[in-house]
Amino acid sequence: MGRKPQPDIRRSLLDACTDHVLARGLPTSLTPLAEAAGTTARMLIYHFGTRERLLREVLDEARRRQLDFFGKALAPRDEPYEETLARAWRVLSGPEGAPYLRLFGTVHNTPDGQALWPDFRRAATTDWLAVLEQGLRARHGAAAPALATTALAVVRGLLMDTDATGDTARTDAAFTAFLDLLRAR
């Protein structure tokens, strides 16, 4: 007779592994995850089946956290949406957003990451369009879908620029200039 599933233990292992991956990136072996979770690699395999399945679940959990965190930052408030976007940029490009950007940059840019999540590029684009469109619709009406795509492209491009150059003053100024264009529209 096999052991009964232990969802509480599995959940705590997943949370610990996700915390570790967000802090340090995707590991090449299970050992760092097991150490972070206070268990053994064998127990991780017991609860998740394979290394790939565990990493996929870790990525799913990290993505859920990112969607929640960034979604709150981008959600429309009782203010012009350009002000919401300015505040969201500071969160997305700051220390709180960095672990997500680092992790999902790895998923996007490495063969291992792409193998774990083949549809990530599409999801990472389409997940944000609805909230951006919702925020832009009040002031920009029918142009909101196109402006949401533009805003997402600007944010992604400037985040990639910041990651590549570390020049936050320049990219912050560029985002402010984009918001000024949006306000003037």
Side-chain angles (χ1 to χ4, degrees):
M1 176 167 32
R3 292 177 59 176
K4 292 182 181 178
Q6 299 168 309
D8 292 342
I9 293 173
R10 190 178 194 282
R11 179 78 233 173
S12 69
L13 293 172
L14 180 60
D15 286 341
C17 290
T18 303
D19 292 345
H20 178 83
V21 166
L22 283 168
R24 294 188 174 80
L26 289 171
T28 56
S29 76
L30 287 176
T31 303
L33 295 177
E35 289 172 359
T39 191
T40 64
R42 184 171 179 247
M43 287 310 294
L44 290 176
I45 295 298
Y46 171 78
H47 285 281
F48 295 95
T50 65
R51 174 186 174 272
E52 289 72 26
R53 184 169 171 206
L54 169 61
L55 290 177
R56 176 58 193 191
E57 289 192 41
V58 163
L59 290 175
D60 285 342
E61 174 61 17
R63 184 67 174 161
R64 186 199 60 71
R65 291 180 189 183
Q66 183 195 37
L67 289 170
D68 183 53
F69 178 62
F70 285 12
K72 287 176 184 170
L74 290 168
R77 293 175 170 82
D78 190 19
E79 65 185 359
Y81 195 60
E82 292 79 6
E83 296 307 312
T84 302
L85 287 173
R87 186 180 309 99
W89 171 256
R90 289 188 297 274
V91 170
L92 301 176
S93 64
E96 293 174 281
Y100 299 105
L101 300 175
R102 212 174 20 253
L103 174 61
F104 293 118
T106 299
V107 171
H108 180 268
N109 294 319
T110 64
D112 285 345
Q114 291 173 18
L116 287 169
W117 198 338
D119 195 38
F120 175 75
R121 288 178 26 178
R122 179 174 171 73
T125 299
T126 58
D127 285 346
W128 305 111
L129 292 175
V131 69
L132 288 167
E133 185 177 330
Q134 177 189 5
L136 291 163
R137 186 164 304 286
R139 183 159 184 269
H140 300 284
L147 290 173
T149 298
T150 303
L152 181 61
V154 168
V155 167
R156 289 177 74 189
L158 290 174
L159 289 171
M160 287 173 37
D161 186 322
T162 302
D163 183 51
T165 67
D167 191 347
T168 56
R170 184 176 53 79
T171 54
D172 287 349
F175 193 73
T176 299
F178 167 71
L179 292 177
D180 290 344
L181 290 171
L182 197 56
R183 286 181 189 103
R185 187 182 183 290

